[in-house]
Amino acid sequence: MQGTNEIYNSLSENETLREQLMLVDRLGLPDAWICAGYIRSLIWGLTLTEEQDIDVVYYDTADRSEETEKQYEEQLKSWKPLPWSVKNQARMHLKNELPPYQSTCDAIAHFPETVTAIAAATRNGQFQLYLAYGAEDLHTRTIRPTPLFSKGLPRHAIFQQRVTDKGWDKRSDLRIACQFEANS
């Protein structure tokens, strides 16, 4: 079973990810992480596809402009030409029609799937891993909604659409669950 320690060790030893985290650190963004599908793909041993980007999230209440995010993306691309996507979580609650997030990790915990609510960062040279809902669904390759996107709630349709759009429902190596279960 690939638990939290195994995931931590695997990611912290991944030279490509460490290089990308160093580039993100160079931007000097507050509470910055690489997150979501890119980290999930690294855990599952998948390679970056043309459709996939490297999600960088941060939390800055002083400057919530999309223009600033695009400038950060361009800076990262000038250092390393990869499909970077930079989003300030201090503004994303507006897009998601939710109350303001309190931090980057709070925003990540509101992502639609448990296996997407994950992130990696370096702080003072030390690797950090954030698994909002633990490692079990990553281990079992279970696509499960986070609490806000569970069956019976208004946002469940968003979860279902993502499952379809990403083709997860067609993959035999994945399990689809419709309800959030604590300690899943």
Side-chain angles (χ1 to χ4, degrees):
M1 176 175 190
Q2 189 176 24
T4 304
N5 288 339
E6 290 83 6
I7 291 171
Y8 177 94
N9 291 337
S10 173
L11 292 175
S12 69
E13 294 167 5
N14 183 309
E15 289 301 321
T16 300
L17 176 60
R18 290 190 71 79
E19 177 187 355
Q20 293 162 347
L21 289 170
M22 287 189 327
L23 293 174
V24 170
D25 280 351
R26 280 176 61 187
L27 290 174
L29 300 172
D31 198 18
W33 299 77
I34 294 178
C35 68
Y38 181 65
I39 299 297
R40 179 187 62 237
S41 293
L42 291 176
I43 293 168
W44 286 350
L46 305 175
T47 57
L48 184 66
T49 65
E50 287 182 20
E51 301 84 34
Q52 188 176 22
D53 51 20
I54 301 171
D55 294 300
V56 176
V57 292
Y58 67 102
Y59 193 84
D60 184 0
T61 58
D63 182 354
R64 299 179 185 175
S65 74
E66 287 184 61
E67 182 179 305
T68 299
E69 295 170 357
K70 297 299 177 201
Q71 290 170 355
Y72 289 135
E73 285 176 8
E74 292 307 313
Q75 181 62 64
L76 286 167
K77 287 176 186 175
S78 75
W79 292 334
K80 187 81 171 177
L82 293 170
W84 299 98
S85 172
V86 179
K87 298 286 185 271
N88 183 356
Q89 299 304 297
R91 76 168 184 83
M92 293 305 291
H93 70 284
L94 298 170
K95 180 182 180 206
N96 298 328
E97 300 176 350
L98 293 170
Y101 303 130
Q102 301 304 305
S103 67
T104 305
C105 287
D106 181 38
I108 292 167
H110 287 85
F111 286 2
E113 307 89 24
T114 58
V115 295
T116 305
I118 57 178
T122 53
R123 302 282 186 263
N124 301 318
Q126 295 296 311
F127 180 81
Q128 291 190 346
L129 177 65
Y130 177 65
L131 302 171
Y133 299 97
E136 182 63 23
D137 286 346
L138 289 161
H139 167 68
T140 61
R141 292 183 179 229
T142 300
I143 308 298
R144 182 186 315 278
T146 57
L148 197 59
F149 292 84
S150 284
K151 189 173 184 175
L153 296 176
R155 294 184 181 279
H156 188 66
I158 296 169
F159 168 79
Q160 290 176 305
Q161 189 63 53
R162 284 176 55 86
V163 167
T164 301
D165 290 349
K166 293 181 178 290
W168 290 333
D169 54 341
K170 307 272 190 274
R171 291 187 45 189
S172 62
D173 63 325
L174 300 177
R175 292 181 43 222
I176 309 297
C178 292
Q179 194 67 34
F180 177 77
E181 299 169 19
N183 300 322
S184 55

